Amino acid sequence: NVLDFRLKAAAAACRVSINVENIEELFSLASASVNNVLAVDMLFAIAATLDFAKNTTKPARPFPLLNEDMGKPFPWKREPNSRFSIPEYVCLAYDFYMGLIGRFLTESSPNICDTVITFNYDLLAEDALFNLKIPFTYGLPDAFVDYVGSRRCATASEVKKALKVLKLHGSLNWSKSDTNRLLIYPDYSDVLNAGREPLLIPPTWRKNIGEHLETIWDEAVQSLRNATRIVVIGFSIPPVDMHFKYLVAEGLRENISLRKIIF
């Protein structure tokens, strides 16, 4: 249905400067529609595409890490290396990235509080953190959250011990119950097997985040207020998603500690 909509949307591109090959512009156009069925189809189109890509794409080339006796066991395979006299540990790319972000590969400090703010729906970050046994939390209050199946993330009561992963546009493994409670499943396949819709907010100008995600946006603003360093990775700042600009502006409005922004 989404592909059929894209075909019909080509007519609008003849009259207005819209690139229907750009998924963000296509979803912005669809969000202006009153067709609720199309809105649900969009969610499943996004989720199914990400799930298909995850299940069919070869993992990124592993990173070699020298064993320098960092005082903690590596959960990765050890391989001989002809360049050095000692073996290497070989890890998956996302394990390496989240190992850096989650301070698995560096010394931690009680005075450091790291937060990941992401617009991505996929579970790559969570999968890597789970592999590394790095506790993480979604920044959601326990009051309106139900965990279905095995719980991989920490609860709000464990937040001081966990890395915050704030998913401002929702997640493939989130859904809503019939009583409007937020349901968190281990994976997207569990959402499908339960016959529910994933809770995703398309990257468009017309957003309705709802009460379930308001807390996460508030957490993101507070994290930006307290940040001494902000690192922006792989975000194109699409013009259809103006919320990012106002999120950063509100977060930095009262920030007196910021020292550096890295793109």
Side-chain angles (χ1 to χ4, degrees), residues 1-262:
N1 288 339
V2 171
L3 292 175
D4 184 56
F5 174 74
R6 182 181 70 88
L7 186 63
K8 296 177 180 178
C14 296
R15 299 175 175 85
V16 183
S17 180
I18 294 177
N19 179 11
V20 295
E21 302 300 325
N22 183 317
I23 193 170
E24 291 159 349
E25 293 197 33
L26 181 67
F27 286 159
S28 285
L29 181 62
S31 67
S33 170
V34 295
N35 187 342
N36 292 329
V37 175
L38 179 62
V40 174
D41 289 339
M42 284 196 305
L43 300 183
F44 280 108
I46 295 172
T49 301
L50 290 172
D51 189 57
F52 175 81
K54 177 182 177 181
N55 293 328
T56 58
T57 304
K58 293 181 179 180
R61 181 178 62 84
F63 281 86
L65 292 173
L66 289 178
N67 175 18
E68 297 178 351
D69 190 18
M70 298 173 61
K72 60 182 70 176
F74 286 126
W76 303 306
K77 181 180 178 182
R78 246 184 137 175
E79 293 185 356
N81 190 322
S82 59
R83 295 176 297 167
F84 303 97
S85 59
I86 58 177
E88 288 180 326
Y89 286 96
V90 177
C91 70
L92 297 176
Y94 277 97
D95 283 12
F96 178 72
Y97 295 141
M98 296 312 298
L100 288 175
I101 294 173
R103 300 191 179 274
F104 182 87
L105 300 173
T106 58
E107 292 299 323
S108 187
S109 168
N111 299 322
I112 295 176
C113 181
D114 294 317
T115 301
V116 176
I117 301 175
T118 176
F119 293 96
N120 290 2
Y121 311 122
D122 61 67
L123 303 176
L124 293 173
E126 292 98 310
D127 290 344
L129 291 172
F130 185 74
N131 290 341
L132 299 176
K133 295 181 174 57
I134 299 175
F136 67 93
T137 175
Y138 286 125
L140 292 161
D142 296 337
F144 58 79
V145 176
D146 289 328
Y147 297 94
V148 184
S150 58
R151 182 167 63 86
R152 302 202 303 171
C153 61
T155 63
S157 59
E158 303 166 326
V159 68
K160 291 183 179 180
K161 309 174 186 176
L163 173 73
K164 287 184 182 179
V165 179
L166 307 180
K167 307 186 79 170
L168 303 188
H169 284 173
S171 183
L172 292 182
N173 61 325
W174 298 358
S175 186
K176 288 191 293 186
S177 71
D178 299 334
T179 57
N180 207 35
R181 289 180 64 82
L182 183 62
L183 304 176
I184 297 182
Y185 293 83
D187 204 352
Y188 172 62
S189 60
D190 300 299
V191 176
L192 280 183
N193 292 335
R196 297 196 176 275
E197 302 169 8
L199 178 60
L200 310 179
I201 307 297
T204 68
W205 53 268
R206 186 177 180 178
K207 276 192 180 73
N208 181 17
I209 62 174
E211 61 178 335
H212 298 95
L213 298 183
E214 283 181 1
T215 301
I216 300 178
W217 283 74
D218 291 342
E219 285 275 355
V221 170
Q222 189 60 43
S223 295
L224 290 171
R225 283 176 181 162
N226 298 331
T228 57
R229 183 177 63 166
I230 296 174
V231 182
V232 183
I233 305 173
F235 186 54
S236 60
I237 313 182
V240 296
D241 194 347
M242 299 300 294
H243 293 72
F244 171 77
K245 180 175 72 171
Y246 297 115
L247 172 75
V248 174
E250 175 59 23
L252 298 184
R253 184 167 57 89
E254 298 179 4
N255 186 314
I256 60 173
S257 305
L258 184 66
R259 299 176 182 176
K260 187 179 294 185
I261 298 180
I262 303 170

